[in-house]
């Protein structure tokens, strides 16, 4: 009858009056998936910026997700709403209105977020005015400026991800975007080599936790992920190609690179510049504040979803990896579990080894092309093609890897592609411009296609969610500690960096071997677990049931690793 409360509301009122009823009695009449959420009423606002998220509401959504009944049409509707809100904000932060893909339950994340910074400083280095402004008089100063970026990055990577889980993604990303956007803007006005070093450290601090944090965050919305940094590289080359031609009475061409980059970081759009005043170039933090106000931290706190839609959003993920925002291990417990896990060290070896090549090729690509005999401006334009082809390789590898449910062989294939590219550069860079340029295509495509493969593999290898968050941060953090030394391998400019290319090839070979060992180990572990379960079944023994609010840990014989 009109005006009468729904059955779900009546049941919720009963649970609210008698809280123990939800736990002492089996609640079976909850097909709407709203019972436990309605029992709690409206969420309480947090007292201050760094207040923790409510574990009570997270638990309510998980309980409703275990009982909700929904159709495929409803799931698609919820997924579309998530795409429209979450993807729009994530992609808008990367580059406004570029693209917004939705591949069913999978998500291709179009950019390692710090890629614009890395391509910008690489593009700026081939410009004489930039080097004069910051006193970069030789290759040693250049590599030091590149290396020092990773100091703050690796020190704060894991603490940053613990902070993200505590205060929520929207507040954490707001802090990160604001900090490194302002640091990037400062490049326009600073002078001298000491200032460059300080700004590079600050930039690393601002970016700490963002990449691993975004992987962790998106795992609460999508079943599988793909991250790629090649499209930002291509866009960075195109932007540099045009902007270095820009000159005003106030700013030179190279300064526009960092100014535009800063405006993208802070507002998600390029603010027009004029000759009259530089204040117009200072962004109003639109994007950072939009993320703070509109990006939901987790499905349970998403205000754009109804209680039923929250339950559906959580239920669709529970069929894959059951992510939980609260409970489980704390940060220290997760860290100890990760350090004691052989798999984490093998994943770190894979990531750190290929990241040596990424850390150098990204910064040095314009320089390497310029050394082939091209002008500075043309060298920036010629960086576009390797990144663009690399992007297609990234998407193909990620798609095929998901389709075949394989990570190990795909990682070995991508690493082998980059390995061959470095061998070509090490042996042919002085003999053939065409061969060297072709080698750069293999290097960029191979290196960057490893990002989504390795990190999505790590997201599967680590469980529960609390360990997964620390684990992905651990891999990125330790690998970036190695990256402090990475630019130093390009110490031989007089020999066209042939020794650096050879060292990178050796690192890629180590990555191939580590991937082979890890895949073999996980395959043997799956077979061992299957045999153990069969033996327990024959003996009539039953493992303890997994509760609604529990995840299967990676040391449980029922856990199946992706190989």
């Amino acid at each position: 009858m009109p005006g009468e409360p729904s059955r779900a509301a009546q049941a919720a009122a009963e649970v609210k009056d008698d809280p123990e009823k939800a736990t002492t009695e089996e609640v079976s009449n909850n097909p709407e998936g709203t019972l436990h959420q309605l029992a709690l009423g409206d969420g309480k606002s947090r007292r201050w910026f760094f207040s923790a998220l409510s574990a009570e509401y997270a638990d309510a959504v998980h309980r409703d997700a275990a009982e909700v009944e929904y159709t495929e049409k409803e799931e698609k509707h919820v997924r579309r709403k998530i795409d429209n809100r979450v993807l729009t904000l994530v992609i808008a932060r990367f580059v406004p209105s570029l693209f917004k893909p939705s591949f069913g339950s999978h998500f291709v994340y179009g950019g390692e977020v710090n890629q614009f910074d890395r391509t910008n400083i690489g593009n700026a280095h081939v410009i004489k005015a930039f080097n004069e402004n910051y006193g970069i008089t030789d290759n040693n100063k250049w590599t030091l400026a590149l290396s020092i970026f990773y100091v703050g990055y690796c020190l704060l990577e894991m603490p940053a991800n613990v902070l993200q889980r505590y205060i929520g993604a929207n507040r954490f990303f707001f802090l990160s975007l604001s900090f490194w956007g302002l640091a990037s803007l400062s490049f326009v006005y600073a002078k001298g080599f000491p200032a460059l070093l300080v700004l590079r450290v600050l930039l690393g601090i601002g970016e700490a936790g963002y990449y691993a944090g975004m992987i962790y965050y998106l795992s609460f919305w999508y079943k599988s992920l793909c991250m790629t940094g090649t499209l930002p590289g291509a866009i960075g080359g195109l932007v540099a190609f045009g902007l270095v031609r820009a000159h005003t009475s106030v700013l030179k061409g190279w300064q526009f690179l960092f100014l535009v980059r800063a405006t993208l970081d802070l507002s998600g759009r390029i603010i027009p510049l004029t000759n009259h005043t530089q204040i117009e170039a200072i962004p109003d933090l639109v994007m950072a504040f939009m993320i703070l106000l509109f990006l939901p931290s987790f499905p349970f706190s998403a205000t754009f979803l109804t209680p039923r839609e929250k339950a559906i959003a959580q239920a669709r993920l529970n069929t894959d990896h059951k992510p939980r925002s609260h409970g489980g291990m704390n940060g220290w417990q997760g860290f100890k579990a990760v350090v004691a896990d052989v798999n984490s060290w093998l994943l770190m070896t894979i990531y750190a080894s290929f990241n040596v090549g990424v850390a150098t090729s990204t910064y040095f690509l314009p320089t390497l092309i310029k050394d082939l005999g091209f002008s500075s401006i043309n060298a920036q334009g010629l960086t576009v093609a390797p990144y663009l082809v690399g992007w297609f390789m990234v998407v193909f590898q990620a798609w095929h890897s998901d389709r075949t449910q394989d990570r190990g062989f795909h990682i070995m294939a991508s690493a082998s592609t980059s390995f061959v590219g470095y061998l070509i550069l090490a042996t042919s860079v002085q003999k053939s411009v065409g061969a060297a340029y072709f080698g750069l295509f293999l290097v960029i495509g191979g290196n960057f296609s490893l990002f989504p493969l390795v990190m999505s593999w790590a997201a599967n290898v680590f469980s529960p969610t609390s360990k997964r968050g620390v684990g992905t941060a651990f891999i990125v953090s330790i690998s970036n500690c190695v990256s402090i030394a990475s630019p130093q391998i390009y110490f031989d400019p007089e020999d066209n960096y042939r020794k650096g290319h050879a060292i990178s090839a050796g690192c890629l070979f180590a990555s191939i071997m580590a991937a082979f060992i890890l895949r073999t180990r996980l395959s043997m572990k799956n077979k061992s677990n299957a045999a153990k379960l069969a033996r327990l079944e024959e003996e009539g023994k039953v493992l303890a049931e997994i509760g609604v609010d529990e995840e299967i840990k990676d040391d449980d014989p029922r856990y199946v690793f992706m190989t």
Side-chain angles (χ1 to χ4, degrees), residues 5 81 103 117 155 163 167 199 284 293 303 354 408 451 459 554:
K81 290 186 71 173
F103 299 143
D117 160 65
L155 289 177
L163 176 65
I167 67 174
L199 289 177
D284 57 0
L293 297 174
T303 56
F354 84 78
F451 273 118
D554 54 33

Side-chain angles (χ1 to χ4, degrees), residues 349-350 353-354 408 411-420 505-518:
T349 302
I350 297 170
S353 297
F354 84 78
I411 288 173
M412 286 183 266
S414 290
S416 297
T417 300
S418 184
F419 173 76
V420 172
C507 291
L508 265 297
F509 183 76
S511 188
I512 294 169
M513 296 306 299
F516 175 77
I517 294 171
L518 179 58

Side-chain angles (χ1 to χ4, degrees), residues 37-229:
Q37 297 174 73
L38 293 178
L40 291 176
D42 295 332
K44 298 178 181 178
S45 59
R46 289 189 273 176
R47 292 185 177 181
W48 65 304
F49 190 88
F50 291 100
S51 296
L53 291 159
S54 171
E56 190 177 25
Y57 281 88
D59 182 67
V61 172
H62 275 274
R63 289 179 176 275
D64 284 335
E67 300 160 358
V68 68
E69 298 175 7
Y70 58 94
T71 64
E72 183 179 352
K73 183 179 179 180
E74 286 181 296
E75 180 182 355
K76 288 181 178 179
H77 174 71
V78 171
R79 192 174 64 226
R80 192 177 303 111
K81 290 186 71 173
I82 292 172
D83 286 350
N84 290 338
R85 175 62 67 90
V86 176
L87 256 67
T88 297
L89 289 171
V90 170
I91 299 300
R93 176 266 164 269
F94 157 58
V95 59
S97 304
L98 179 63
F99 62 95
K100 185 169 67 67
S102 173
F103 299 143
S105 60
H106 311 293
F107 172 46
V108 176
Y109 171 43
E112 185 192 351
V113 294
N114 52 14
Q115 208 55 39
F116 267 123
D117 160 65
R118 302 186 187 188
T119 54
N120 271 351
I121 195 167
N123 284 316
H125 179 54
V126 298
I127 302 172
K128 185 179 179 180
F130 171 80
N131 296 323
E132 291 176 347
N133 183 80
Y134 282 111
I136 303 175
T137 56
D138 53 48
N139 190 67
N140 291 332
K141 283 190 173 182
W142 169 237
T143 55
L144 175 60
L146 299 181
S147 294
I148 204 168
F149 164 84
Y150 294 100
V151 174
Y153 198 117
C154 66
L155 289 177
L156 296 178
E157 183 77 31
M158 283 185 282
N161 278 271
V162 173
L163 176 65
Q164 177 188 337
R165 191 177 188 226
Y166 184 78
I167 67 174
N170 59 334
R171 299 188 181 196
F172 171 76
F173 292 146
F174 167 77
L175 292 174
S176 182
L177 286 173
S178 299
F179 190 92
W180 102 54
L182 292 172
S184 183
L185 183 63
S186 300
F187 275 86
V188 178
Y189 306 101
K191 292 181 181 294
F193 190 66
L196 176 64
L197 297 182
V198 171
L199 289 177
R200 291 288 292 167
V201 172
L202 294 177
L203 204 60
I205 292 174
E207 293 187 9
Y210 200 110
Y211 179 48
M214 186 59 73
I215 297 168
Y216 175 70
Y217 171 70
L218 292 173
S219 71
F220 285 90
W221 298 98
Y222 295 93
K223 293 180 180 180
S224 59
L225 309 173
C226 166
M227 276 69 57
T228 167

